[in-house]
Amino acid sequence: MRKGFIVFSVLMLVIAAADASAQGGSRRGNGRDGVVDRSAKLQEKPENSVDQLALILAELQQDLKLTADQQAAWDAYARNVEALASDVARERGRTKEVMQMKVLQRLDHAVDVARNRLTAVEDIAAAAKKLYAGLTPQQQSMADPRLATAIAAAAASSSANSGIQLGRPEGRK
């Protein structure tokens, strides 16, 4: 139970940070050794974050130079990250529908969305651990900062508010 709470808390922090970054238009500075992380640059342009995620994953896969034995673990990781991004984008498209719900329905919906996101992040974490364990030390040093960046990009695939918005639902005055 405690592990689930910790994972859920981390997920909420990632989502909140991504949402705050997108709303504030913040820009990331230079990474270690003065090199700007390509994935951080990509996150500055939120207009098509699903394509950005695909680019982040493609660049990471290319940079890791995976062996045939490592490919299955990579595929599972990438599939799980893309599923989270797809879920976030799909939920964003439901905003109008969610806003028509009564408050208790919206709260239940928010709980369901959070539960689904927690499960998705747990799946990603399990796949990432399996992938990471199969990497060489050199590949691990490359993957260290970037595996989590892909998760954050997936969570930021849209407004990460899970359909709950303050204010009056449409149609009510």
Side-chain angles (χ1 to χ4, degrees):
M1 184 65 146
R2 177 129 173 94
K3 177 184 165 194
F5 176 75
I6 291 171
V7 171
F8 180 74
S9 298
V10 169
L11 172 64
M12 291 293 108
L13 287 172
V14 167
I15 290 173
D19 195 37
S21 175
Q23 288 177 3
S26 68
R27 295 187 173 266
R28 296 192 177 176
N30 289 344
R32 264 187 244 164
D33 303 322
V35 177
V36 176
D37 185 5
R38 286 182 281 188
S39 58
K41 275 183 160 179
L42 291 172
Q43 290 179 355
E44 291 177 2
K45 300 175 189 167
E47 54 276 348
N48 198 344
S49 47
V50 173
D51 288 343
Q52 291 177 6
L53 176 61
L55 185 58
I56 289 168
L57 290 173
E59 287 180 348
L60 178 56
Q61 182 181 19
Q62 181 180 9
D63 292 348
L64 289 176
K65 296 178 177 79
L66 299 168
T67 66
D69 293 338
Q70 297 168 328
Q71 192 61 47
W74 169 264
D75 291 343
Y77 168 76
R79 190 171 42 251
N80 285 315
V81 170
E82 290 166 349
L84 174 61
S86 175
D87 182 55
V88 170
R90 181 175 45 254
E91 189 59 35
R92 183 176 187 201
R94 295 188 65 207
T95 300
K96 187 172 183 176
E97 176 187 339
V98 171
M99 291 304 294
Q100 295 295 324
M101 295 177 183
K102 302 275 188 201
V103 68
L104 295 180
Q105 291 173 313
R106 288 168 54 192
L107 291 171
D108 287 342
H109 179 75
V111 170
D112 289 341
V113 168
R115 189 178 296 124
N116 290 341
R117 299 269 166 83
L118 172 61
T119 300
V121 171
E122 287 174 334
D123 291 346
I124 292 168
K129 287 176 184 177
K130 185 174 181 179
L131 171 64
Y132 193 82
L135 297 176
T136 66
Q138 183 181 8
Q139 288 172 315
Q140 287 177 348
S141 68
M142 253 188 280
D144 271 337
R146 295 167 71 189
L147 287 176
T149 301
I151 297 170
S157 289
S158 68
S159 172
N161 64 17
S162 70
I164 292 221
Q165 296 180 1
L166 300 175
R168 298 177 190 198
E170 291 180 22
R172 286 197 199 164
K173 301 253 175 171

